[in-house]
């Protein structure tokens, strides 16, 4: 007789601890070593699929899974799952964002120590029956500088462990939570260059996104000490493998510890294969999360979520849950878009300004719903939209898909604090039926000195206000400036002296660089304290294509152009 229980397919090695939870109510089928064709053939029988990083969950496989309700990734990265196709088919994708953090951090430390003490070389030597002690003199970690790029969950866990070794820890992460860094005795630096020059050990813990892809290439490696060692237990592609191999061969860098590669597994004749074979490289086959404990954690985490979903409840960490539920769509959709874009504007503008004020990304926000918005039944989608907007520009799309289910958890994990408030006082005063105000607080308990304001006074709150008109998101205030522009497209935002000729200057630089201006608005000063940059204005230009960093640098080298940022929405 056919089983009445829903069926779960597990084509990879997933820890038994979670699977035990499934056994009571579901039929589980562990089938390792299936080919893609075999998987395609059997998938129509299953309600749930549990994978790690090896199974390619393609659009074709998902479409063939006529009964599939959930794909669970026992780990963080869903790079191997076609999330867009799953969303279109109404299949929920869940993951375990925190279950393997400690494992990845400890593996980083393992590679750091193995590289420092020539563990693999010494081990291979003695196994060959040799005893060549003098060849393998290493270095100690105590008193050395550990430089961390990406002070997130894994990066800070590495820092906490490294404190025990007596290391001096510095980090570069423009979007980090300063108090969490200070609590882990991490000194935040303003540039990657500072880390490259100071590092004895250099480790990367960022997502693989446009700004981190190829982040370490020949130019960066050439700034490092010849005694420095470099580690990557995050994602392949952040260190240029060819450049690293050349630096190791030239002896301009002392060693590397690598767990992840641009293509996995690396092909035989690839640069990655040459790196792996290099005597100064300690390499592992993507073992960051491969501990019994981490596998138990991620297995229990995703199996619990599979049970929730198959019983009709909401999971904890859905990668593709909506920001907004269908019944709320009509009222909330334009505001969800507004708040998400305000968050994205905040991160890209304040986190990436070039010029006088510099970067000043903060992590404590007040989000106030003014006027008729104060009557909303639920603000959950708006909260989620803000978290998504703040984090999307600095996250890999597959690693961090923020939605109403996971927004609070993601914000907490990233050290972002959002205080929501409702008010009916200011909307009328400002001439709107409703608007949203986002205020990033100035208090920074950080190891960094606070960024001085233009007046040299302590930094002030950063404020963005927006409203919806005709279904479009508008910005009515940006910092000290009264604005009125549609928050859409590629925007170049320049702060400049409010004096004749500035628009021409900016237009000329952009024209010479082949950049078209589709729209331009000037935002006058309205909210500044006396003496605080009195003679200033903002210029907001919708541009195409997005200006390169060199163009922005040229702009701010022009007289009277104080700073500029690019915001792509
Ligand atoms: N090897 C493994 O098995 C394994 C296991 C777990 C996690 N990982 C990988 O480790 C990495 C870190 O994971 P996490 O959980 O700590 O992520 P996280 O999101 O908690 O932290 C990432 C940090 O990178 C920062 N960042 C983003 N862009 C940056 C930039 N351009 N410059 C500097 N910093 C930037 C973010 O602000 C954030 O603080 C991810 O790539 C993840 O996929 C690998
Ligand atoms: O994304 C992850 O969770 C890690 O890279 C681990 O992948 P794995 O489950 O295949 O070991």
């Amino acid at each position: 007789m056919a089983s009445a229980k829903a069926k779960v397919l597990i084509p990879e090695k997933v820890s038994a601890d979670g699977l035990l939870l499934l056994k009571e109510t579901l039929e589980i089928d562990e089938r390792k070593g299936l080919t893609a064709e075999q998987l395609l053939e059997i998938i129509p029988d299953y309600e749930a699929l549990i994978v790690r990083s090896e199974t390619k969950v393609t659009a074709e496989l998902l479409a063939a899974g006529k009964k599939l309700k959930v794909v669970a990734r026992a780990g963080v990265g869903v790079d191997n799952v076609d999330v867009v196709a799953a969303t279109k088919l109404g299949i929920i994708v869940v993951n375990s964002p925190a279950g393997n953090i400690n494992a990845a951090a400890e593996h980083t430390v393992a590679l750091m120590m193995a590289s420092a003490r020539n563990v693999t070389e010494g081990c291979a030597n003695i196994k060959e029956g040799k005893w060549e002690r003098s060849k393998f003199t290493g270095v100690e970690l105590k008193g050395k500088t550990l430089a961390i790029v990406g002070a997130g969950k894994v990066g800070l866990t590495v820092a906490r462990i490294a404190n025990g070794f007596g290391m001096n820890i510095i980090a570069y992460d423009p979007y980090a939570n300063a108090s969490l860094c200070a609590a882990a005795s991490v000194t935040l630096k303003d540039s990657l260059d500072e880390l490259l020059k100071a590092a004895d050990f250099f480790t990367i813990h960022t997502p693989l996104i446009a700004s981190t892809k190829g982040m370490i290439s020949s130019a960066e490696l050439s700034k490092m000490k010849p005694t420095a060692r470099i580690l990557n237990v995050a994602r392949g592609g952040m260190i240029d493998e060819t450049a690293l191999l050349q630096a190791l061969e030239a002896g301009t860098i002392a060693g590397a510890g690598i767990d992840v590669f641009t293509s996995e597994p690396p092909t035989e004749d690839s640069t990655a294969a040459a790196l792996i074979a290099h005597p100064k490289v300690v390499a592992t086959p993507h073992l960051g999360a491969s501990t019994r404990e981490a596998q138990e954690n991620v297995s229990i985490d995703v199996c619990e979520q599979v049970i929730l979903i198959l019983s009709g409840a909401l999971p904890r960490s859905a990668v593709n849950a909506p920001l907004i539920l269908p019944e709320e769509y009509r009222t909330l959709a334009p505001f969800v878009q507004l708040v998400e874009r305000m968050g994205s504007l905040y991160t890209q503008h304040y986190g990436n300004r070039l010029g006088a004020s510099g970067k000043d990304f903060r992590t404590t926000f007040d989000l106030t719903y003014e006027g008729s918005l104060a009557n909303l039944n639920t603000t959950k989608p708006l909260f989620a939209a803000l978290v998504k907007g703040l984090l999307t520009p600095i996250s890999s799309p597959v690693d961090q898909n923020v939605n109403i289910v996971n927004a609070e958890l993601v914000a907490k994990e990233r050290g972002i604090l959002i205080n929501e408030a409702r008010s009916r006082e200011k909307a009328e005063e400002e001439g709107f039926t409703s608007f949203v105000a986002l205020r990033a607080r100035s208090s920074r308990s950080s190891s960094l000195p606070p960024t001085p304001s233009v007046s040299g006074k302590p930094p002030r709150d950063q404020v963005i206000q927006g409203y919806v008109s005709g279904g479009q998101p508008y910005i009515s205030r940006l910092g000290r400036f009264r604005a009125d522009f549609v928050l859409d497209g590629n925007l170049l935002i320049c702060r400049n002296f409010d004096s004749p000729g500035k628009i021409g200057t900016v237009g000329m630089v952009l024209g010479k660089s082949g950049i078209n201006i589709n729209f331009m608005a000037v935002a006058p000063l309205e909210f500044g304290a006396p003496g605080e940059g009195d003679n200033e204005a903002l210029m907001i230009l919708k541009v195409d294509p997005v200006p390169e960093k060199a163009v922005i640098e040229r702009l701010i080298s022009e007289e009277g152009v104080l700073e500029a940022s690019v915001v792509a929405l």
Side-chain angles (χ1 to χ4, degrees):
M1 206 176 75
S3 158
K5 290 179 176 176
K7 290 177 78 178
V8 186
L9 177 63
I10 303 126
E12 285 186 65
K13 171 97 188 88
V14 173
S15 164
D17 303 78
L19 303 185
L20 268 178
L21 302 174
L22 303 178
K23 277 191 175 140
E24 210 168 292
T25 50
L26 304 166
E27 184 181 325
I28 62 169
D29 205 357
E30 289 181 83
R31 301 277 297 273
K32 289 180 208 73
L34 293 173
T35 63
E37 291 72 29
Q38 289 168 328
L39 197 55
L40 202 58
E41 206 173 294
I42 63 170
I43 198 72
D45 284 347
Y46 296 91
E47 272 86 353
L49 173 67
I50 303 182
V51 299
R52 284 180 62 188
S53 59
E54 277 178 33
T55 310
K56 304 279 172 268
V57 187
T58 60
E60 190 188 9
L61 183 70
L62 292 163
K66 297 290 178 208
K67 294 191 199 162
L68 265 188
K69 293 193 176 60
V70 50
V71 173
R73 159 65 165 113
V76 190
V78 284
D79 329 39
N80 54 320
V81 181
D82 190 332
V83 179
V84 175
T87 310
K88 280 189 194 145
L89 291 163
I91 299 169
I92 302 180
V93 181
V94 295
N95 70 347
S96 176
N100 58 28
I101 295 166
N102 191 62
E106 285 189 10
H107 196 65
T108 309
V109 175
L111 295 189
M112 174 161 72
M113 297 185 85
S115 173
R117 300 303 294 269
N118 303 308
V119 173
T120 43
E121 283 276 276
C123 178
N125 188 269
I126 194 171
K127 283 186 187 212
E128 282 168 18
K130 298 179 188 159
W131 188 263
E132 298 174 322
R133 297 186 338 135
S134 60
K135 268 186 162 180
F136 304 115
T137 304
V139 291
E140 292 182 21
L141 305 185
K142 189 175 174 189
K144 299 292 188 318
T145 295
L146 171 64
I148 301 177
V149 185
K153 298 186 288 292
V154 178
L156 287 183
T157 308
V158 171
R160 286 182 209 106
I161 302 171
N163 277 315
F165 295 128
M167 298 183 88
N168 159 41
I169 306 162
I170 55 176
Y172 170 67
D173 183 338
Y175 318 102
N177 178 305
S179 352
L180 287 180
C181 289
S185 305
V186 171
T187 306
L188 275 171
K189 299 286 182 187
D190 282 335
S191 71
L192 184 63
D193 263 23
E194 287 177 74
L195 262 66
L196 291 164
K197 287 176 190 149
D200 295 304
F201 295 87
F202 184 99
T203 183
I204 304 176
H205 299 285
T206 63
L208 179 65
I209 49 176
S211 63
T212 60
K213 197 169 176 190
M215 173 169 52
I216 304 298
S217 194
S218 315
E220 288 73 27
L221 289 164
S222 69
K223 291 177 187 160
M224 296 181 74
K225 299 178 192 170
T227 49
R229 289 168 168 82
I230 190 162
L231 309 159
N232 187 4
V233 182
R235 281 288 179 265
M238 286 182 291
I239 303 178
D240 179 331
E241 288 168 345
T242 309
L244 177 58
L245 186 61
Q246 283 166 355
L248 287 163
E249 275 169 359
T252 53
I253 183 159
I258 312 287
D259 183 49
V260 283
F261 302 88
T262 42
S263 169
E264 293 181 2
T267 50
E268 230 173 81
D269 52 0
S270 61
T271 310
L275 257 185
I276 292 164
H278 197 281
K280 289 182 191 161
V281 174
V282 184
T284 45
H286 200 144
L287 292 184
S290 293
T291 62
R292 193 155 41 78
E293 294 83 351
Q295 288 310 311
E296 275 174 27
N297 293 342
V298 296
S299 174
I300 292 172
D301 190 357
V302 296
C303 287
E304 283 176 350
Q305 298 191 65
V306 166
I307 294 171
L308 285 172
I309 291 165
L310 294 184
S311 63
L314 277 179
R316 283 184 294 272
S317 310
V319 171
N320 61 346
L323 260 182
I324 183 166
L325 297 172
E327 59 270 26
E328 294 160 345
Y329 192 84
R330 198 182 282 268
T331 20
L332 279 184
F335 291 99
V336 164
Q337 186 192 44
L338 169 70
V339 175
E340 184 180 339
R341 290 193 182 181
M342 282 169 69
S344 184
L345 168 67
Y346 179 81
T347 299
Q348 295 184 71
H349 177 62
Y350 288 106
N352 223 356
R353 285 178 300 188
L354 288 187
S357 306
K359 299 173 187 185
D360 187 11
F361 180 88
R362 300 173 189 174
T363 47
T364 302
F365 299 94
D366 296 327
L367 180 63
T368 310
Y369 312 111
E370 294 275 358
S372 59
L373 272 181
N375 303 328
L376 283 174
N377 289 331
T378 174
T379 57
K380 230 178 162 187
L382 297 174
F383 177 96
L386 178 60
V387 179
K388 186 175 168 79
L390 289 170
L391 293 182
T392 298
I394 53 171
S395 313
S396 129
V398 287
D399 278 353
Q400 202 144 51
N401 210 325
V402 181
N403 50 57
I404 44 171
V405 178
N406 65 9
E408 260 182 64
L409 187 75
V410 171
K412 195 171 160 219
E413 280 173 359
R414 294 291 302 260
I416 289 177
L417 184 70
I418 299 168
N419 303 297
E420 289 183 286
R422 296 163 188 248
S423 150
R424 288 186 189 78
E425 286 157 27
K426 293 223 177 93
E428 215 169 285
E429 205 177 286
E430 300 247 343
F432 299 106
T433 38
S434 61
F435 70 90
V436 181
L438 176 67
R439 179 177 292 270
R441 303 242 195 107
S442 63
S443 51
R444 295 182 67 180
S445 55
S446 132
S447 49
L448 275 180
T451 313
S453 74
V454 272
S455 62
K457 292 183 184 139
R460 52 159 49 234
D461 289 353
Q462 299 156 330
V463 182
I464 298 178
Q465 276 178 205
Y467 67 100
V468 173
S469 174
Q472 298 242 61
Y474 280 81
I475 290 301
S476 53
R477 172 175 176 184
L478 180 51
R480 294 175 292 134
F481 303 92
R482 166 67 70 200
D484 197 13
F485 62 92
V486 181
L487 195 50
D488 185 38
N490 302 320
L491 302 175
L492 169 67
I493 302 177
C494 299
R495 180 164 64 84
N496 52 278
F497 285 136
D498 193 8
S499 54
K502 294 296 160 293
I503 295 176
T505 306
V506 171
M508 203 172 64
V509 172
L510 294 181
K512 276 190 183 159
S513 313
I515 289 160
N516 194 30
I517 302 172
N518 305 125
F519 161 89
M520 204 213 120
V522 173
L525 186 72
E526 190 174 314
F527 306 95
E532 189 185 8
D534 290 338
N535 180 30
E536 291 177 9
L538 280 190
M539 236 186 267
I540 297 104
L541 304 106
K542 189 168 174 181
V543 288
D544 184 36
V546 175
E548 302 270 336
K549 194 173 172 202
V551 178
I552 307 294
E553 281 167 348
R554 209 169 315 139
L555 273 176
I556 58 173
S557 69
E558 294 290 337
E559 207 190 314
V561 182
L562 303 167
E563 68 180 28
S565 66
V566 173
V567 177
L569 296 154

